[in-house]
Amino acid sequence: MRRRTARPSSSAATRTACSAALLLPWVGQSLADDERFANHQARGRNQAECDAVVAEWTSGLAADDIVEQLAEAGVPAGLTYKASDMLRDEHFKAREAITRVEDPEIGPIAMQNVFPKLSASPGGVERTGPKLGEHTDAVLAEWLGYDVETIAALKAANVL
């Protein structure tokens, strides 16, 4: 959605946002009975016009205000977060959505935690991913049955 500030927001679906925008009293348009927007199929046929109505409504608002107004109208909506937004969000903190893991090369790093977090088996993130090639020898030996000499020959031939 176009809005006054650069911070993006999104609604659950354009058709829902369009429906809400057409019915919201603060939009300043009386389009609730307009047959171009009467149902999902009609809005789909007139998507460009529907988008224009939503764009006109949102262009003068901050993203937070758009989300608040849509919530008041019962439309699921939320801000589109950057990583820095997620790290500051109190809801993310309360749900432990972000965890910190120690990486051997770069130190502590914030990562997405397990979701959903179940009470009986909450799971967790124990480490960052392996380095490129870290498990190659083990995979070749344990899964493919290669011996040490074969792996060494592949490395000497720059295959690995």
Side-chain angles (χ1 to χ4, degrees):
M1 290 185 219
R2 264 189 351 194
R3 73 220 43 82
R4 185 182 53 149
T5 58
R7 188 173 186 189
S9 63
S10 66
S11 70
T14 301
R15 65 183 160 110
T16 308
C18 182
S19 302
L22 297 173
L23 297 173
L24 295 173
W26 51 84
V27 173
Q29 297 191 23
S30 147
L31 299 173
D33 297 323
D34 189 319
E35 64 183 51
R36 295 174 300 160
F37 309 113
N39 58 44
H40 177 63
Q41 290 78 17
R43 288 188 296 277
R45 285 191 302 273
N46 298 288
Q47 188 65 52
E49 294 160 276
C50 184
D51 287 347
V53 169
V54 173
E56 182 180 337
W57 165 53
T58 60
S59 63
L61 297 172
D64 290 327
D65 296 333
I66 295 168
V67 171
E68 183 179 327
Q69 290 183 20
L70 288 171
E72 289 172 6
V75 177
L79 297 172
T80 303
Y81 275 175
K82 298 180 292 188
S84 58
D85 298 324
M86 289 183 252
L87 294 171
R88 286 191 303 268
D89 186 276
E90 292 303 319
H91 185 72
F92 274 59
K93 289 177 186 174
R95 292 188 54 88
E96 299 176 344
I98 306 294
T99 188
R100 293 213 173 261
V101 177
E102 188 69 28
D103 181 87
E105 291 184 9
I106 60 176
I109 184 168
M111 297 179 66
Q112 179 179 337
N113 208 347
V114 174
F115 182 83
K117 192 166 194 166
L118 306 174
S119 57
S121 57
V125 178
E126 297 175 357
R127 61 186 174 278
T128 58
K131 294 189 323 187
L132 182 62
E134 182 177 338
H135 299 119
T136 300
D137 289 4
V139 169
L140 292 173
E142 295 169 22
W143 292 14
L144 300 178
Y146 287 19
D147 58 32
V148 174
E149 293 79 22
T150 303
I151 295 172
L154 291 170
K155 287 180 180 179
N158 286 325
V159 173
L160 301 177

